[in-house]
Structures are given as structure tokens and as C-alpha cells.
């Protein structure tokens, strides 16, 4: 006896979405727009991201295969959230869709097609610190031949190259507009750039900017690759378009072509990345690139109560260079104005925020994760971090040094990077310098010796690392550590094949790093726990280069967070830049004093000040229900001797009727 039983796909059980009921007219028109190009230009909180999410869902419902959709967002987190939302809307495996930051998509494209540019699939990614190390090496090589006193330091050099790459301008143009005092060193700087490029090629590594620039080269120089990609990505969607740099716009121009399907959403009033080469003009000139594009405008804000929105509107109206628009609030009045809170100093500010967070949680039942504290610069949060820790309020930080950028994580990663890429000089040097007794000098000599090895085990040759490394000459007191390092490497690559990333991390920690951490760090236990967490995170990956790429991308400028981030009930502490696109019921903006926000660097320059005001606008528009504006009156630690702080001009220039002043007095 047998019984026929068929499994129905989940899709057939889920009704199609009622997009019309969930969207307003303009949003609906955009979501269901016919093929072609579309620009959704609208203010903060007007549902741009929601529109994109529904567009993806709508495409999937209409039978577009997920692989044919490319969704570009500003952070990996944003991409993940959007895909989760789509997944809850339609029954399609959204993991098949191409979604992520430009950088992460660039990485995937280069792994697939980089061979055309001479890149091996296992190429490494230099994060900003690795980049600086490599530039330092280039600079010190060159020191003898160049009058190095005139040259910018590695970090500044990196910034110059990065800007040139992102804006597609020449080094000379960048120097003229931003670093005129280095113009006389132009020739030397150009020469450095060439050496740096060479060095990257030799070491089979790319930096963050290459993740954007090299795919573009691929599109430009390899028409057959572009052809394949164009027909693969039938629909391209982009969030936060106002912060795209020239390179990213070129990507779109190539991938989409003059008649492809492209939808971008953005808000010129929230453009805050010109210091990294973004140009708000791209959004204003969209019609020049795609003359047939449809334009959708949304003038209703769904996020914030009218009191918050009135303040945000008043603030952005102070900018001269903007497309005038007045956002209307969809929500009803909250009955309370945004609070303006003057506090004695940073400590009092921290105490106020912590106490208020506690009250909102205990008395008003707000979840910790409903609340965020935003600031201009990471160090503004230090006192608050201490206060929250003292009071036992849980929080996470999305600014400043992140999990993946910490020394111990990078040390362990150096072993792994070298184990899969024998050309990786930066990782080799970092790794061997961990051996007690080996300094920068011996490390360089060892690298020279390694480069003579003609069939290294990583490249698929039989044999072991120790066979090559042990005969090399090392200082006497380094001998034991050197052996340990060589044998540890042996465990990582077996018969020319890298073992799984988790196993690698365990081997490195047990073989070398545990001892090192104990001798080097006061908080070795904490670091040990971090590495355990890293090993657990790595379990998702079987392939080492893929894991390492993720690691670099997570530490990158455009991304947030530690592995488990997102789902915990904690208060968010974030820089205003990192808060882009996000929202919370309660927002505290702190350190709103002249010189802090606006930052003292921008006070002189009108254009930078306008960008700073847009950043303030972004900060205000993150709040749904409640907004607190805090400013300390004194800065006892001031290095310039200017102890008295004035409230930010961004507070003073708007009508004070939009704010409610809170007078704070000590309990005693
Ligand atoms: P930002 O400029 O900050 O990126 P945005 O324009 O992308 O904002 P969303 O984040 O998409 O705006 O939406 C803001 C809030 O308003 C979200 O909570 C969203 O769910 C809600 N929202 C958007 N459109 C509607 C609508 N038509 N009906 C109800 N709620 C909406
Ligand atoms: Mg958005």
C-alpha cells in the first residue's frame, strides 16, 4: 500500500500583499512602477526604505527570480533588516538575492570575476590599519630617495589616495582642493601611489577603495563580464543614494545601462558624506544620466510626532543650499515639545541621560532597545559609558573601535590571512612580530627570506611551512617561539588545503596566541573570550577566504557591529553618522555645544557647516516620540583652556518656542 502525498510550497499558502493598504499613493506608485528608471526623492522618515522593501517584495511576487535583484544599501545591517522584512512579506528565499553594501557586493564580484584583473580568488582585504602599515612600508622604502620631510604621513596619504579613487579625480586635483600645502610634493606623492599600487598587486591584496574601483575597472575593460552582469541583474535598487560617490554612480551607469531597471531613493537634506567624496549633485542631476526616469516625491513623514518634525524642519531651513521642502507629519501630536537640557558638565550630562533612561525603562515600560543616545564624535560618549556601566544599564556601541578592529582579533586573523595567501606581506610581518625576540628588523629579513621560497604550501604544493621556516635564521631568544609559530602554521594548511576557519582560530589560539596574550595584555581573559566568540562566529563559514573577507568588511567604514548585534535589549550609543536610516522611540542628542557639534573643524567653512547642519537634521529625525537635546556648559578637561561652552548654534538659531527648557538642579 502506498499513499500519494504532496508538499505545497509555502508561497501558495500566503496571500499576496495588499500593498495599496500599506502604502500611500506616491509610495504605491513607486513600488508598482513599470520597468525603467525611478528616483524617489523625499525627506527623512517618509518611507523611502519602506518603499524599496515593498518594491523588492512586489518584484518577487511578480515572478522575478531573487538572483536577478541587486539591492545596494549603505550598511550591511540595513540590507539584512530589509531582507528580513521582505522575507516576512513574501515566501521566497531572499538569501538568493544579491544584497549588501557596495563594498560587500564589490568583494563578491571580485571573487567571481577578479581573475580577469589578475586577482586570485583568495586575495586579501586590507582594512584601514593594514593599509596604513603597508603605506608605512612604502614610505620607509622610499625615505632614502625622497626628502620625506615634505611628505604626508601614511594616514593622510591613505586619505588622499582614497579620495582620489572615490571621486575619480587626479591626485593633483585632490591636493589642490583639499591639501594645497602638499602640492609641492605632488611628484613624490604620485610616485608613492604607484609603489603602493604595485605593492598591493605583489601581495595579492586590495584595500576598501579597490572594492569599489576594481569592479568598475572590470566593467570598463571586460565588456563580456559586464554583459553577463547586466543580464543577471535585471533590477537594481539603491537606498541612501545621496551619499553615493562618483565611483558608485559609475557602477550604476555600467550595470544598469541607459535603459535598464533602476530604482534609487534618497534625500538631499541628509547628505553627510562629502568628506568621503559623496556628492549631493548626483541626486539632483539624476535626470541627466537617465532622462526617462520617473520621479516620485513623498512629503509626509510617518516616523516622528509633529513636535519633533517642526524642530527638524526649522533646523534644515537654515541651510541656504537645499531644495526647499516642508515635511508634514502623519502622526498626531505627542503633547510634549523636544526637551532642551543644559547641564553643568559632561558628568552631569551623563548622570541626566542615565537617570532618564532608567525612568523611561522602569516607570514607563520602554524597552532599552527603544532608546538611543547620539553624538558627533565617539569620545563624547566616554563619560556616559562609565555612568551606564556603574548603573547597570545595558548598552551597545556602534561607533568607535569595533569588535573586529581590536588588536587580538587582527593578530589571529593575520595567521589565517597568511596561511591562505603566501604573498600577504602585511600579515606575515604582523604575525612574526608576535614572536618574542623578533622586532621589525628581523621581521623584514624573514620576509625577504620567505619571498625566495619557490613552492610554498598554500599554493597547493605538498610540503609544510616548518620545512621552509625552521631553517631560516632568527635571533637566539626567538628560536622557541619561531618553532611554535611554524608548527602552528603547519596545522592550518593540510596537503595544500586550508582547514575550516573555526579550526584555524582554535589552532592559532592554542598554539601561539594564548601565551602571547597572557604576557602582553592585562585583560587577557576578556580577549580570550572574544576569540572564543570569533571562533563561534566563524562556524558559519567553511571557506577561509570568504570568512576573512567578511571579517574585513565587518570592520570596514560602512558597517556596524559585533556578531550577535541587533537582537538584544540594550540602549544604542551611536555616532550621528552611523545612525543614518535608523529610528528609535526615544533619542537623546548629547554634547550639543559649539565646537563639539558643530565640530570645531567646520566652523570656518560655510559648505562644511551646511553639511554639519544636515548631520544635525539626521540626528533629530531619528526620533519617533521623544527627543532630548543636551548640552554641557563647562568642559573642565579642555586642552585649549576654553572651559566655558556655548550651546550649539543649531539650537540657538531656531525659534525657542519649539523647545521646552528643562531646568536641572541637584537633589541636595
Ligand atoms: P530615512 O530618511 O531616515 O532613511 P525613510 O524615508 O527611509 O527614512 P522609513 O524608514 O522607510 O523612512 O520609514 C519611517 C517610518 O515610517 C517607519 O517606521 C515606517 O514603517 C513608517 N512608514 C513609512 N511609510 C508608511 C506608511 N505609508 N504607513 C505607515 N507607516 C509608514
Ligand atoms: Mg531609509
Amino acid at each position: 500500500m502506498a499513499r500519494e502525498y504532496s508538499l505545497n510550497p509555502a508561497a501558495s499558502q500566503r496571500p499576496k500583499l495588499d500593498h495599496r493598504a500599506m502604502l500611500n499613493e506616491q509610495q504605491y506608485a513607486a513600488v508598482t512602477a513599470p520597468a525603467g528608471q525611478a528616483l524617489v526623492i523625499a525627506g527623512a522618515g517618509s518611507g523611502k526604505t519602506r518603499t524599496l522593501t515593498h518594491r523588492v517584495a512586489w518584484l518577487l511576487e511578480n515572478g522575478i527570480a531573487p538572483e536577478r535583484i541587486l539591492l545596494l544599501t549603505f550598511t550591511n545591517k540595513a540590507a539584512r533588516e530589509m531582507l528580513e522584512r521582505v522575507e516576512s512579506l513574501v515566501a521566497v528565499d531572499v538569501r538568493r538575492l544579491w544584497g549588501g553594501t557596495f563594498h560587500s557586493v564589490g568583494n563578491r564580484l571580485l571573487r567571481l570575476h577578479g581573475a580577469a584583473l589578475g586577482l586570485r580568488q583568495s586575495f586579501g582585504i586590507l582594512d584601514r590599519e593594514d593599509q596604513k602599515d603597508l603605506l608605512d612600508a612604502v614610505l620607509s622604502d622610499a625615505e632614502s630617495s625622497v626628502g620625506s620631510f615634505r611628505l604626508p604621513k601614511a594616514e593622510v596619504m591613505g586619505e588622499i589616495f582614497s579620495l582620489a579613487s572615490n571621486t575619480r579625480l587626479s591626485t593633483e586635483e585632490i591636493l589642490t582642493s583639499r591639501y594645497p600645502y602638499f602640492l609641492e610634493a605632488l611628484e613624490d606623492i604620485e610616485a608613492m601611489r604607484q609603489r603602493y599600487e604595485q605593492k598591493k598587486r605583489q601581495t595579492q591584496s586590495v584595500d576598501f577603495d579597490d572594492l569599489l574601483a576594481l569592479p568598475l575597472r572590470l566593467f570598463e575593460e571586460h565588456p563580456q563580464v559586464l554583459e553577463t552582469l547586466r543580464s543577471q541583474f535585471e533590477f537594481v535598487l539603491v537606498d541612501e543614494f545621496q551619499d553615493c560617490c562618483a565611483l558608485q554612480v559609475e557602477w550604476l551607469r555600467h550595470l544598469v545601462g541607459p535603459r535598464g531597471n533602476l530604482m534609487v531613493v534618497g534625500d538631499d537634506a541628509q547628505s553627510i558624506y562629502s568628506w568621503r567624496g559623496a556628492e549631493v549633485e548626483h541626486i539632483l542631476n539624476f535626470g541627466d544620466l537617465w532622462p526617462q526616469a520617473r520621479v516620485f516625491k513623498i512629503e509626509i513623514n510617518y516616523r516622528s510626532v509633529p513636535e519633533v518634525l517642526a524642530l527638524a524642519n526649522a533646523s534644515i531651513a537654515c541651510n541656504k543650499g537645499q531644495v526647499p521642502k516642508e515635511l508634514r507629519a502623519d502622526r498626531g501630536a505627542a503633547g510634549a515639545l523636544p526637551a532642551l537640557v543644559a547641564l553643568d558638565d559632561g558628568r552631569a550630562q551623563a548622570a541626566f541621560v542615565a537617570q532618564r533612561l532608567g525612568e523611561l525603562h522602569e516607570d514607563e515600560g520602554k524597552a532599552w532597545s527603544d532608546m538611543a543616545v547620539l553624538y558627533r564624535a565617539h569620545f563624547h560618549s566616554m563619560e556616559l559609558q562609565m555612568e551606564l556601566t556603574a548603573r547597570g544599564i545595558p548598552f551597545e556601541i556602534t561607533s568607535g573601535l569595533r569588535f573586529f578592529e581590536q588588536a587580538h582579533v587582527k593578530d589571529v586573523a593575520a595567521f589565517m590571512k597568511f596561511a591562505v595567501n603566501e604573498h600577504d606581506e602585511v600579515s606575515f610581518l604582523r604575525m612574526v612580530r608576535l614572536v618574542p625576540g623578533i622586532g621589525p628588523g628581523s621581521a623584514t629579513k624573514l620576509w625577504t627570506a620567505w619571498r625566495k621560497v619557490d613552492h610554498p604550501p598554500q599554493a597547493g604544493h605538498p610540503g609544510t611551512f616548518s620545512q621552509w621556516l625552521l631553517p631560516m635564521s632568527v635571533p637566539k631568544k626567538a628560536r622557541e617561539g619561531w618553532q611554535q609559530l611554524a608548527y602552528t602554521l603547519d596545522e592550518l594548511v593540510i596537503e595544500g588545503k586550508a582547514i575550516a576557519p573555526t579550526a584555524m582560530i582554535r589552532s592559532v589560539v592554542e598554539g601561539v596566541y594564548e601565551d602571547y596574550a597572557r604576557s602582553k595584555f592585562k585583560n587577557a581573559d576578556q580577549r580570550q573570550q572574544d576569540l572564543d566568540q570569533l571562533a563561534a562566529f566563524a562556524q558559519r563559514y567553511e571557506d577561509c577566504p570568504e570568512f576573512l573577507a567578511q571579517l574585513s568588511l565587518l570592520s570596514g567604514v560602512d558597517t556596524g557591529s559585533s556578531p550577535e548585534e541587533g537582537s538584544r535589549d540594550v540602549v544604542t550609543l551611536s555616532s550621528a553618522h552611523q545612525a543614518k536610516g535608523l529610528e528609535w522611540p526615544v533619542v537623546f542628542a548629547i554634547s550639543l555645544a559649539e565646537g563639539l557639534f558643530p565640530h570645531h573643524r567646520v566652523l570656518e567653512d560655510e559648505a562644511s557647516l551646511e553639511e554639519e547642519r544636515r548631520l544635525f537634521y539626521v540626528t533629530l529625525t531619528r526620533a519617533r516620540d521623544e527627543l532630548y537635546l543636551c548640552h554641557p556648559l563647562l568642559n573642565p578637561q579642555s586642552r585649549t583652556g576654553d572651559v566655558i561652552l556655548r550651546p550649539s548654534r543649531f539650537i540657538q538659531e531656531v525659534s525657542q518656542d519649539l523647545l521646552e527648557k528643562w531646568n536641572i538642579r541637584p537633589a541636595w
Side-chain angles (χ1 to χ4, degrees):
M1 280 268 282
R3 180 194 296 218
E4 302 299 322
Y5 184 85
S6 62
L7 274 180
N8 296 325
S12 62
Q13 288 150 19
R14 216 177 288 191
K16 273 201 176 177
L17 286 175
D18 187 356
H19 294 284
R20 197 183 283 281
M22 301 166 88
L23 302 166
N24 72 30
E25 224 164 277
Q26 282 284 301
Q27 292 171 335
Y28 181 77
V31 164
T32 55
Q37 308 92 44
L39 164 68
V40 179
I41 180 163
S46 61
K48 296 183 296 298
T49 304
R50 185 181 174 112
T51 301
L52 272 193
T53 311
H54 276 262
R55 173 74 171 177
V56 173
W58 188 81
L59 291 171
L60 294 170
E61 282 174 351
N62 281 284
I64 306 297
E67 314 47 35
R68 318 211 66 168
I69 299 176
L70 173 63
L71 173 63
L72 293 159
T73 58
F74 211 76
T75 63
N76 286 321
K77 187 173 173 213
R80 214 165 40 235
E81 274 181 16
M82 264 167 106
L83 295 186
E84 275 164 16
R85 266 157 78 181
V86 171
E87 196 147 44
S88 70
L89 297 176
V90 289
V92 174
D93 184 3
V94 296
R95 276 165 306 184
R96 281 158 53 203
L97 195 137
W98 278 64
T101 62
F102 279 86
H103 289 91
S104 69
V105 171
N107 170 53
R108 272 176 85 179
L109 290 177
L110 291 177
R111 304 263 167 214
L112 287 175
H113 304 286
L117 301 173
L119 267 186
R120 290 206 322 222
Q121 214 187 355
S122 60
F123 69 83
I125 302 175
L126 305 167
D127 66 19
R128 295 284 176 214
E129 195 194 332
D130 303 329
Q131 179 187 34
K132 189 178 154 282
D133 289 348
L134 195 63
L135 278 164
D136 269 331
V138 171
L139 275 167
S140 67
D141 279 354
E143 219 137 63
S144 45
S145 57
V146 188
S148 64
F149 60 96
R150 291 184 297 143
L151 285 178
K153 293 244 175 346
E155 227 165 322
V156 179
M157 194 89 95
E159 259 169 54
I160 295 172
F161 297 167
S162 171
L163 270 173
S165 174
N166 286 330
T167 51
R168 310 206 87 197
L169 296 173
S170 66
T171 317
E172 183 171 6
E173 284 165 304
I174 295 298
L175 293 183
T176 311
S177 64
R178 305 218 191 188
Y179 303 88
Y181 37 89
F182 286 130
L183 258 177
E184 51 169 343
L186 175 63
E187 259 175 50
D188 292 335
I189 294 176
E190 300 261 32
M192 291 295 116
R193 190 167 177 195
Q194 271 178 15
R195 281 186 214 209
Y196 173 61
E197 293 299 325
Q198 240 170 19
K199 200 88 174 178
K200 279 189 295 189
R201 245 169 293 140
Q202 275 166 11
T203 57
Q204 280 287 324
S205 41
V206 306
D207 60 27
F208 280 135
D209 304 312
D210 292 331
L211 291 177
L212 301 182
L214 293 179
L216 184 57
R217 240 182 74 199
L218 201 61
F219 307 155
E220 287 173 341
E221 294 171 11
H222 298 272
Q224 73 290 3
V225 175
L226 181 63
E227 199 60 31
T228 319
L229 293 173
R230 259 198 203 173
S231 53
Q232 181 186 343
F233 300 132
E234 212 179 328
F235 291 88
V236 180
L237 303 97
V238 187
D239 199 1
E240 309 272 5
F241 184 70
Q242 76 278 357
D243 283 322
C244 279
C245 65
L247 242 179
Q248 291 163 320
V249 174
E250 279 302 293
W251 263 49
L252 298 176
R253 222 168 53 79
H254 281 84
L255 282 176
V256 174
R259 279 173 297 279
N261 299 312
L262 171 68
M263 176 172 286
V264 312
V265 310
D267 176 9
D268 56 290
Q270 293 185 72
S271 147
I272 52 175
Y273 277 98
S274 76
W275 52 281
R276 272 197 3 229
E279 282 170 52
V280 67
E281 277 67 33
H282 297 311
I283 203 167
L284 305 175
N285 303 337
F286 191 77
D288 298 345
L289 285 175
W290 287 282
Q292 311 292 327
R294 289 184 187 76
V295 179
F296 300 90
K297 291 199 171 131
I298 316 171
E299 271 147 352
I300 304 167
N301 172 299
Y302 292 91
R303 177 179 294 144
S304 309
V305 293
E307 290 90 343
V308 167
L309 199 60
L311 179 66
N313 278 337
S315 176
I316 199 67
C318 297
N319 266 5
K320 292 197 196 83
Q322 61 136 0
V323 187
K325 56 175 169 289
E326 181 86 13
L327 269 182
R328 284 176 288 117
D330 175 71
R331 298 184 51 193
L337 294 172
L340 176 62
V341 194
L343 295 139
D344 285 347
D345 54 20
R347 277 175 67 180
Q349 176 176 263
F352 169 76
V353 174
Q355 179 174 327
R356 200 64 203 124
L357 285 169
E359 285 165 4
L360 289 164
H361 182 70
E362 305 298 336
D363 307 342
E364 299 185 25
K366 296 254 190 285
W368 295 121
S369 56
D370 283 343
M371 304 186 273
V373 184
L374 309 182
Y375 35 81
R376 175 67 177 85
H378 183 51
F379 75 88
H380 298 165
S381 71
M382 290 305 169
E383 275 157 322
L384 183 64
Q385 289 184 37
M386 287 191 274
E387 187 70 32
L388 295 179
T389 309
R391 295 189 190 218
I393 296 179
F395 64 94
E396 75 184 0
I397 305 171
T398 61
S399 58
L401 205 60
R402 301 196 197 95
F403 183 76
F404 297 112
E405 285 166 356
Q406 301 174 70
H408 50 298
V409 174
K410 296 204 57 179
D411 288 340
V412 171
F415 280 80
M416 306 171 73
K417 286 180 166 181
F418 175 70
V420 297
N421 176 7
E422 79 269 20
H423 302 290
D424 191 338
E425 180 178 345
V426 169
S427 297
F428 181 89
L429 295 177
R430 181 167 192 130
M431 173 182 81
V432 302
R433 281 204 300 254
L434 296 176
V435 176
I438 294 188
S442 347
T444 315
K445 282 197 202 111
L446 286 165
W447 174 247
T448 313
W450 173 258
R451 290 194 56 188
K452 299 203 181 98
V453 169
D454 57 4
H455 44 281
Q458 302 101 318
H461 299 292
T464 60
F465 286 98
S466 51
Q467 157 196 349
W468 299 105
L469 294 176
L470 292 180
M472 291 179 186
S473 91
V474 292
K476 198 157 168 220
K477 62 177 186 267
R479 218 165 274 159
E480 198 187 327
W482 184 246
Q483 265 182 12
Q484 230 174 328
L485 176 138
Y487 291 135
T488 303
L489 281 170
D490 283 351
E491 293 176 15
L492 307 187
V493 177
I494 298 192
E495 288 169 7
K497 210 175 160 327
I499 62 172
T502 303
M504 272 204 189
I505 297 169
R506 301 235 158 91
S507 287
V508 175
V509 171
E510 280 160 27
V512 185
Y513 205 70
E514 219 161 26
D515 290 343
Y516 173 79
R518 280 208 198 99
S519 65
K520 171 96 188 190
F521 302 119
K522 270 193 278 184
N523 57 350
D525 284 349
Q526 173 62 42
R527 289 174 192 253
Q528 180 70 43
Q529 282 170 22
D530 284 353
L531 293 170
D532 287 345
Q533 206 188 350
L534 184 71
F537 173 64
Q539 267 167 350
R540 296 183 219 174
Y541 300 87
E542 296 212 335
D543 176 59
C544 194
E546 193 192 327
F547 167 72
L548 290 168
Q550 273 312 311
L551 208 58
S552 308
L553 287 167
L554 283 167
S555 74
V557 275
D558 291 342
T559 53
S561 65
S562 65
E564 90 293 8
E565 171 255 353
S567 47
R568 296 180 301 149
D569 185 20
V570 295
V571 175
T572 298
L573 269 52
S574 172
S575 69
H577 279 103
Q578 292 276 336
K580 202 162 99 123
L582 306 178
E583 62 185 24
W584 295 270
V586 181
V587 169
F588 292 82
I590 61 169
S591 298
L592 299 177
E594 281 293 289
L596 299 178
F597 196 169
H599 197 280
H600 64 86
R601 261 199 325 257
V602 310
L603 294 179
E604 311 291 294
D605 175 52
E606 188 63 27
S608 313
L609 197 60
E610 297 222 327
E611 172 146 328
E612 198 79 356
R613 195 178 279 108
R614 292 195 292 270
L615 185 61
F616 185 64
Y617 175 73
V618 168
T619 309
L620 300 179
T621 52
R622 298 310 96 201
R624 291 171 59 93
D625 310 326
E626 277 181 55
L627 177 63
Y628 296 83
L629 307 182
C630 305
H631 64 98
L633 299 168
L634 294 175
N635 181 8
Q637 282 119 36
S638 164
R639 267 174 291 151
T640 52
D642 253 342
V643 188
I644 295 185
L645 292 170
R646 280 178 301 132
S648 167
R649 71 186 65 194
F650 298 151
I651 299 176
Q652 298 190 60
E653 67 195 4
V654 296
S655 159
Q656 299 300 297
D657 295 345
L658 297 170
L659 296 161
E660 181 187 33
K661 217 167 151 194
W662 287 32
N663 296 316
I664 306 298
R665 48 187 171 73
W668 35 269

